Amino acid sequence: MKHSVYHFLLVVLLSGLTLSCIREDISGNSPEDNFEALWKIIDEQYCFLEYKNQEYGLDWDEVHERYAKRITSSMGSEALFEVLSEMVNELRDGHVNLSSAQATSQYREWFDAYPRNFSDSIQSNYLEKDYINSSGLTYQILENNIGYVYCSSFSDGIGDGNLNETLDKLAICDGLIIDVRNNGGGNLTTAQKLAARFTNEKVLVGYMCHKTGPGHNDFSSPKAVYVEPSTGIRWQKKAVVLTNRRSFSATNDFVNSMKQFPNVTVVGDKTGGGSGLPFSSEIPNGWSIRFSASPMFDPEMEQLEFGIDPDVKVDMTSEDISQGKDTMIETACRILKGSTN
């Protein structure tokens, strides 16, 4: 989304962020100017530089030195975009995207390096033909009387009335599976609305900080984040949340919230992470850069950026796949039925 310079300045001022990343700081529009502007914006506003230095040795000053050697005054836009995209991919963050009129950079290894652990064709064996779609949720009562709900995205709103109706229809079930595999995120409020159906009391689910200055460790004091119980129908039996590496962004936060509830078990693969709230800026040539500026933590103040480990680690097996079975759904059913076999 493009904003006027005035609106951008206003947003920065209201956010309490430094003005050092504003486009007017850079006088020219050369490849060198755009490189320096992008590096500086991330250096002063990206919220995980120190954390990633600790986790895998990211040295943002060294990145500057290395990539500056690849910038030339005669390089075209396509070559510049390629170099700058490679630079931001050093952050190993699916929330960091450089966008031009022709392309958007994307760091893919955060999920490409993991098993897919999801098959919509196998999922259809469980949904069968009489499944119901309601307010962004797809649900079915399985043959073993376990409820199955698939949430593919939090981008669209989930209506309270539809949630009441869905949970009312599933109330006869012995347990409930909430499948958020391949859910790339969306609206955090929507994710919290769904999580609020699984607790009867106010629960601390983590903390959030905000960038307050240009230093890598300039953050506000942690602010507690709670999930309060919905005033609508709430699920009272056991539930299992199914995850894979493509459970990302707002879905990562949903999984973190659900993991704090005593009647919920998280089953599957590690989530994709990406919990920092995104912030956008521009470099002189008009390309936009989107990145995380507000880190989020679990109740123990552990970072959520690189993903959440499941309570029960399960991958889809080739044997089950060949038989049209979903190993994760089968495991969830056994947990909800009280069987360990």
Side-chain angles (χ1 to χ4, degrees), residues 139-141 147-149 166-173 176 235:
Y139 66 95
Q140 176 66 282
I141 298 177
Y148 175 83
V149 177
T166 298
L167 291 176
D168 184 56
K169 288 183 177 179
L170 295 171
I172 62 171
C173 298
L176 185 61
W235 185 258

Side-chain angles (χ1 to χ4, degrees), residues 75-87:
M75 68 194 311
S77 293
E78 186 175 336
L80 177 63
F81 185 84
E82 181 179 351
V83 174
L84 296 187
S85 296
E86 290 182 23
M87 183 178 76

Side-chain angles (χ1 to χ4, degrees), residues 200-216:
N200 293 319
E201 58 186 9
K202 183 178 179 179
V203 176
L204 173 69
V205 296
Y207 297 90
M208 180 187 296
C209 295
H210 296 281
K211 203 76 167 61
T212 58
H216 293 182

Side-chain angles (χ1 to χ4, degrees), residues 26-295:
I26 306 297
S27 58
N29 189 21
S30 68
E32 292 90 346
D33 293 328
N34 284 288
F35 167 76
E36 293 294 343
L38 179 60
W39 183 89
K40 186 178 182 182
I41 288 170
I42 293 173
D43 181 62
E44 297 185 349
Q45 304 298 348
Y46 182 66
C47 67
F48 295 122
L49 288 175
E50 188 64 28
Y51 173 59
K52 293 188 175 182
N53 174 262
Q54 297 170 4
E55 289 296 306
Y56 64 91
L58 175 69
D59 183 336
W60 196 237
D61 289 326
E62 184 278 330
V63 169
H64 179 280
E65 182 179 353
R66 179 155 40 95
Y67 281 85
K69 297 174 183 177
R70 299 174 59 182
I71 304 298
T72 64
S73 58
S74 61
M75 68 194 311
S77 293
E78 186 175 336
L80 177 63
F81 185 84
E82 181 179 351
V83 174
L84 296 187
S85 296
E86 290 182 23
M87 183 178 76
V88 298
N89 283 347
E90 296 275 354
L91 300 171
R92 303 185 188 181
D93 189 335
H95 263 158
V96 178
N97 307 110
L98 178 67
S99 297
S100 70
Q102 287 75 37
T104 298
S105 71
Q106 182 183 26
Y107 177 72
R108 298 177 57 89
E109 288 188 30
W110 63 268
F111 59 82
D112 279 346
Y114 286 73
R116 294 188 66 87
N117 279 325
F118 183 78
S119 166
D120 52 6
S121 61
I122 292 179
Q123 181 193 48
S124 66
N125 296 336
Y126 294 84
L127 288 173
E128 298 181 329
K129 295 182 179 180
D130 58 342
Y131 63 85
I132 300 173
N133 279 318
S134 177
S135 192
L137 301 176
T138 301
Y139 66 95
Q140 176 66 282
I141 298 177
L142 306 181
E143 292 180 356
N144 56 7
N145 201 39
I146 295 296
Y148 175 83
V149 177
Y150 182 60
C151 180
S152 61
S153 174
F154 288 118
S155 295
D156 299 322
I158 299 177
D160 283 318
N162 289 332
L163 265 179
N164 283 339
E165 183 178 341
T166 298
L167 291 176
D168 184 56
K169 288 183 177 179
L170 295 171
I172 62 171
C173 298
D174 298 325
L176 185 61
I177 298 171
I178 305 293
D179 191 344
V180 291
R181 290 175 294 174
N182 283 31
N183 184 331
N187 192 318
L188 187 58
T189 301
T190 301
Q192 291 174 334
K193 179 185 290 188
L194 182 58
R197 297 302 183 121
F198 293 87
T199 181
N200 293 319
E201 58 186 9
K202 183 178 179 179
V203 176
L204 173 69
V205 296
Y207 297 90
M208 180 187 296
C209 295
H210 296 281
K211 203 76 167 61
T212 58
H216 293 182
N217 289 311
D218 290 345
F219 293 103
S220 64
S221 298
K223 180 180 179 181
V225 178
Y226 295 89
V227 170
E228 299 199 25
S230 169
T231 57
I233 294 176
R234 299 191 296 271
W235 185 258
Q236 301 298 313
K237 303 173 187 177
K238 289 183 179 180
V240 166
V241 176
L242 298 185
T243 60
N244 67 354
R245 189 61 179 169
R246 293 175 186 247
S247 303
F248 183 71
S249 193
T251 308
N252 197 67
D253 294 292
F254 171 77
V255 173
N256 175 63
S257 295
M258 295 291 282
K259 198 168 185 180
Q260 312 311 319
F261 304 152
N263 64 330
V264 176
T265 303
V266 178
V267 173
D269 201 358
K270 187 173 187 175
T271 61
S275 285
L277 295 182
F279 174 80
S280 295
S281 187
E282 277 189 6
I283 59 177
N285 64 5
W287 294 350
S288 64
I289 178 67
R290 176 178 180 263
F291 55 92
S292 299
S294 301

